[in-house]
Amino acid sequence: MCGIVGYVGKRNAEDVIIEGLSKLEYRGYDSAGIAINQNKDTIAYAKKKGRLSILENFLKEMPLLGQVGIGHTRWATHGEPSDCNSHPHLNENGTIAVVHNGIIENYMEIKEMLIAEGYTFKSETDTEVIVHLLDKYYKGDLIEAVYTTIKQLRGAYALGVVAVNHPDELVAVRKESPLIVGLGDEEFFIASDVPAILKYTRKVYFLENGEVVHIKDHTIKVYDENKNKVDKEVKTIDWDIEAASKSGYDYFMLKEIYDQPQAIKDTLLRRLDKNRIIRLDDIRMTKEQLEDVGKVYIVACGTAYNAGLVGKYAIEKLAQIPVEVDIASEFRYSDPFIDEKTLLIVVSQSGETADTLAAMKLAKSKGARVLAITNVVGSSVAREATDVFYTWAGPEIAVASTKAYTAQLVAFYMIALDFALKRTTISSDKYNELIDKIESLSELVAQILDGKEAIRSIVKDIKDTKSAFYLGRGLDYMTAQEAALKLKEISYIYTEAFAAGELKHGTIALIEKGTPVFCVVTQDNLAEKMISNIKEVKARGAFVIAIAKSSNLEISKVADDTIYIPEADDLLMPILSTVPTQLVAYYASLERGNDVDKPRNLAKSVTVE
Ligand code: AGP
């Protein structure tokens, strides 16, 4: 997804912007560009297709000196990745420059209107209409031109704007796309995400939809969409920049897999009071309100959706409330049954996923209560929700979600236990037992990580396969789905997850001699059934790798290889069974020479539909 960085201050803006953009690389991009206001007749700019390093090398030869500027990493939506389609975009005489994250839905009609008025377009992007509109409406007051322009736009946009006639000014806008402001000492930053500015300041404004920022004469003013001045609260970021760097690991993904014991602890322990009762401070649902809930949906995308599958299981089992889980992009167009008695639980690591946001807005508009599970404080999802559960997993940079997933599972277990207590569907003994067991997960995950070399050697044997499968039953099928997504996402091995009982209804036809089949076997009541399924696929030539509880000695007699994991309550096993599958995906990607953290065609945060 596109990344924006802007700067106004005393430093060399090019350095600040390039450094900031490098911290946004995790969002995924295909080109990068920069525009600097040098107090000349036109804005100086450079933009290059490809990695940020290409732009950096170009700038080494032709530096753009100046103290006010905007930069951008682009993830193509309208028009192929190319120098020309990269941002910034400038008006015809080069006096105004714009960077944009999001999609302008009505750009075709605006473009036709502008062409009819004599404007010519250089790029295929939707963004270019913005800069021509600014040109059209600019009458000496930049902020007025911005307001008039955004009135014409439909869609999602975070914008950064500079103009030659305003050498120490920067205007920024946020509407449905993330944008924050960093506050330094007589210097200001705009950025799509916090890591871009952490080197310079920890003080930020989280912008709301429709807010317009005007940086001028070493001061900053924020206005709402009706041009009323807004008094923003300064938030202090308390996580360290180290937390957003690799800390010595080769890849962010590996670091984040290793962050999990801490992430699990942080997400759980900070919410247990001295009597070990869960305190969900940002969830204000009373017992009565919970009793009044008629329907619960869990809605999310990708890995967050897979967490929701486990969440459904936990809430239904512990709190005895029926739950439906849906993919956000399906839910929003399915005319779902929603009323004032509906509770919608949305899950989103980034808190900025467009479909998830749209689903929650739809539910809110029909009167539903929305509970968000998110990892990003101040994110759009968090701000739109009635109740919020923050997973305290720390920033997740690798495109493949790992620690966010296990932290989301902890969140669901805690929410399910909290609901169960309120609905008196759990005994205090069972409650205490489960809290103890959740607490011990952190240590058990660390033990699994100690066995990473054995997993690596299993992966070496199967790394050249064209396809692979994951099988499971019950909660193990949920793990299988997340495991398959992870493996295909970063290794590019075609991988599917199947409910093991479905094999003979068609899918077993896919098994050939040597096909790797990972079988997740952690549910005691289903273990025997899984052994039969393992025999079935082995009889068709599959190479079976089982992931099983350490007590299950039968498994190693039937599987070709077994990854043993420690024991926990069956309900909690998805946290443990997922960890080896993350390592399988990581090593498969590594062995196949892929870019582990930035898999092809993917972006960390999907902020467009
Ligand atoms: C996970 O590995 C993915 N990259 C992806 O499925 C992700 O979980 C999905 O895009 C949802 O993102 P979110 O949690 O930030 O909403």
Side-chain angles (χ1 to χ4, degrees):
M1 235 31 35
C2 304
I4 289 178
V5 180
Y7 178 73
V8 181
K10 294 192 183 115
R11 298 175 204 258
N12 183 23
E14 180 192 305
D15 295 341
V16 176
I17 290 167
I18 296 293
E19 163 79 23
L21 291 177
S22 75
K23 296 289 183 288
L24 298 181
E25 284 190 284
Y26 71 90
R27 296 166 67 85
Y29 70 102
D30 48 54
S31 49
I34 184 168
I36 301 290
N37 198 340
Q38 297 183 313
N39 221 342
K40 293 184 180 160
D41 291 344
T42 55
I43 301 279
Y45 71 96
K47 42 194 205 171
K48 293 282 163 205
K49 177 184 165 185
R51 290 271 171 223
L52 186 60
S53 55
I54 298 174
L55 177 68
E56 263 185 288
N57 289 337
F58 177 84
L59 291 170
K60 273 185 198 138
E61 302 297 318
M62 309 249 307
L64 300 181
L65 300 177
Q67 293 164 336
V68 175
I70 48 180
H72 189 267
T73 44
R74 173 175 187 253
W75 191 71
T77 55
H78 296 64
E80 58 175 15
S82 68
D83 290 358
C84 176
N85 285 334
S86 313
H87 301 209
H89 290 281
L90 284 84
N91 59 342
E92 272 175 65
N93 57 14
T95 54
I96 303 174
V98 166
V99 286
H100 164 222
N101 174 19
I103 284 183
I104 306 302
E105 285 166 7
N106 58 339
Y107 87 102
M108 282 305 292
E109 57 198 70
I110 299 176
K111 192 168 176 174
E112 277 165 22
M113 172 195 85
L114 289 166
I115 289 172
E117 290 180 19
Y119 282 93
T120 53
F121 281 73
K122 290 190 185 131
S123 76
E124 301 156 275
T125 63
D126 53 341
T127 304
E128 200 179 341
V129 301
I130 302 173
V131 76
H132 293 314
L133 282 177
L134 284 167
D135 179 273
K136 175 176 153 83
Y137 296 123
Y138 179 71
K139 304 278 181 272
D141 185 335
L142 186 58
I143 195 117
E144 269 308 313
V146 168
Y147 267 109
T148 318
T149 295
I150 58 178
K151 266 200 200 124
Q152 312 281 314
L153 305 178
R154 211 169 59 229
Y157 46 87
L159 304 175
V161 182
V162 290
V164 281
N165 290 343
H166 304 266
D168 61 354
E169 286 181 50
L170 192 157
V171 178
V173 186
R174 180 203 197 281
K175 169 100 190 299
E176 309 289 351
S177 284
L179 197 69
I180 58 141
V181 176
L183 309 162
D185 185 13
E186 295 202 352
E187 59 180 352
F188 301 97
F189 310 78
I190 59 164
S192 300
D193 200 357
V194 172
I197 55 150
L198 261 192
K199 181 173 171 188
Y200 307 101
T201 182
R202 294 180 168 278
K203 302 216 173 303
V204 299
Y205 288 158
F206 290 110
L207 297 178
E208 299 293 335
N209 269 334
E211 286 183 343
V212 176
V213 176
H214 192 190
I215 300 166
K216 187 184 174 186
D217 298 333
H218 310 300
T219 59
I220 184 164
K221 291 196 174 102
V222 180
Y223 302 95
D224 66 14
E225 47 203 347
N226 301 317
K227 302 185 198 167
N228 300 313
K229 196 167 169 293
V230 180
D231 285 327
K232 297 292 291 180
E233 189 188 343
V234 179
K235 300 266 186 191
T236 304
I237 303 296
D238 62 3
W239 42 268
D240 203 272
I241 195 151
E242 253 314 285
S245 74
K246 291 184 203 155
S247 316
Y249 289 95
D250 290 342
Y251 288 93
F252 280 114
M253 183 181 177
L254 190 61
K255 172 191 173 289
E256 288 156 11
I257 289 173
Y258 272 80
D259 282 345
Q260 289 179 112
Q262 191 60 44
I264 291 168
K265 242 189 239 169
D266 287 347
T267 301
L268 173 76
L269 292 183
R270 293 197 210 166
R271 293 190 168 98
L272 289 184
D273 70 11
K274 58 180 187 323
N275 301 316
R276 297 173 69 71
I277 297 294
I278 294 171
R279 295 278 170 241
L280 303 180
D281 288 340
D282 289 329
I283 298 181
R284 287 172 282 268
M285 262 185 116
T286 60
K287 188 173 165 12
E288 293 66 36
Q289 285 167 330
L290 192 59
E291 290 296 346
D292 206 33
V293 168
K295 182 149 190 80
V296 179
Y297 287 105
I298 299 175
V299 173
C301 304
T303 286
Y305 165 80
N306 291 337
L309 297 174
V310 178
K312 165 187 164 72
Y313 204 95
I315 294 171
E316 288 187 343
K317 194 170 167 70
L318 297 174
Q320 294 169 23
I321 311 173
V323 179
E324 247 183 79
V325 191
D326 207 351
I327 295 164
S329 55
E330 290 296 317
F331 179 84
R332 62 184 289 196
Y333 296 116
S334 64
D335 193 17
F337 176 83
I338 302 169
D339 64 9
E340 303 74 35
K341 288 177 180 287
T342 302
L343 172 66
L344 180 84
I345 304 180
V346 289
V347 193
S348 176
Q349 186 285 130
S350 62
E352 301 295 347
T353 300
D355 283 318
T356 308
L357 266 166
M360 69 191 285
K361 282 181 186 163
L362 170 75
K364 270 180 78 176
S365 71
K366 293 187 173 184
R369 186 176 185 119
V370 179
L371 190 169
I373 299 175
T374 183
N375 196 36
V376 180
V377 177
S379 60
S380 304
V381 158
R383 281 180 287 126
E384 284 281 332
T386 334
D387 305 286
V388 185
F389 186 113
Y390 284 116
T391 46
W392 284 317
E396 191 180 66
I397 308 294
V399 166
S401 186
T402 52
K403 62 177 178 175
Y405 174 74
T406 41
Q408 283 158 3
L409 297 195
V410 173
F412 271 119
Y413 292 132
M414 296 187 74
I415 289 167
L417 281 170
D418 178 61
F419 285 3
L421 267 192
K422 285 186 176 133
R423 287 169 52 86
T424 56
T425 52
I426 192 167
S427 68
S428 61
D429 283 355
K430 182 69 186 167
Y431 172 89
N432 288 325
E433 182 196 323
L434 277 173
I435 291 287
D436 287 349
K437 287 183 172 168
I438 298 173
E439 201 175 345
S440 68
L441 290 172
S442 164
E443 172 53 30
L444 301 181
V445 167
Q447 284 175 27
I448 297 171
L449 294 175
D450 287 345
K452 76 174 195 313
E453 286 309 322
I455 295 174
R456 183 171 196 165
S457 89
I458 291 173
V459 171
K460 277 189 176 151
D461 292 339
I462 57 140
K463 71 177 174 53
D464 295 321
T465 187
K466 283 205 177 63
S467 57
F469 300 101
Y470 268 95
L471 303 183
R473 283 170 177 264
L475 279 171
D476 289 336
Y477 175 45
M478 316 308 168
T479 298
Q481 291 178 75
E482 169 56 10
L485 172 61
K486 212 94 309 169
L487 185 56
K488 72 180 102 170
E489 175 179 25
I490 59 168
S491 74
Y492 318 145
I493 296 169
Y494 172 70
T495 316
E496 282 307 325
F498 298 123
E502 276 290 289
L503 279 180
K504 45 180 103 41
H505 300 288
T507 45
I508 203 162
L510 294 168
I511 307 294
E512 295 174 353
K513 189 166 169 16
T515 307
V517 177
F518 291 88
C519 296
V520 189
V521 195
T522 72
Q523 301 296 297
D524 288 346
N525 61 333
L526 297 166
E528 276 184 15
K529 306 270 177 222
M530 278 303 296
I531 288 180
S532 305
N533 296 133
I534 290 174
K535 287 180 180 164
E536 283 163 13
V537 290
K538 269 198 67 84
R540 272 90 184 162
F543 181 79
V544 172
I545 304 124
I547 297 169
K549 279 180 174 171
S550 51
S551 59
N552 192 339
L553 304 179
E554 284 308 300
I555 285 289
S556 57
K557 294 181 192 155
V558 288
D560 294 289
D561 238 318
T562 305
I563 301 168
Y564 275 120
I565 55 175
E567 311 257 338
D569 191 283
D570 278 8
L571 182 63
L572 308 178
M573 284 310 291
I575 291 197
L576 301 181
S577 56
T578 296
V579 177
T581 73
Q582 296 168 342
L583 290 168
V584 166
Y586 172 78
Y587 285 122
S589 175
L590 201 64
E591 293 288 339
R592 289 163 72 99
N594 299 345
D595 187 341
V596 175
D597 286 337
K598 296 184 203 107
R600 68 186 181 203
N601 305 338
L602 286 172
K604 178 66 181 164
S605 179
V606 186
T607 54
V608 292
E609 190 174 354

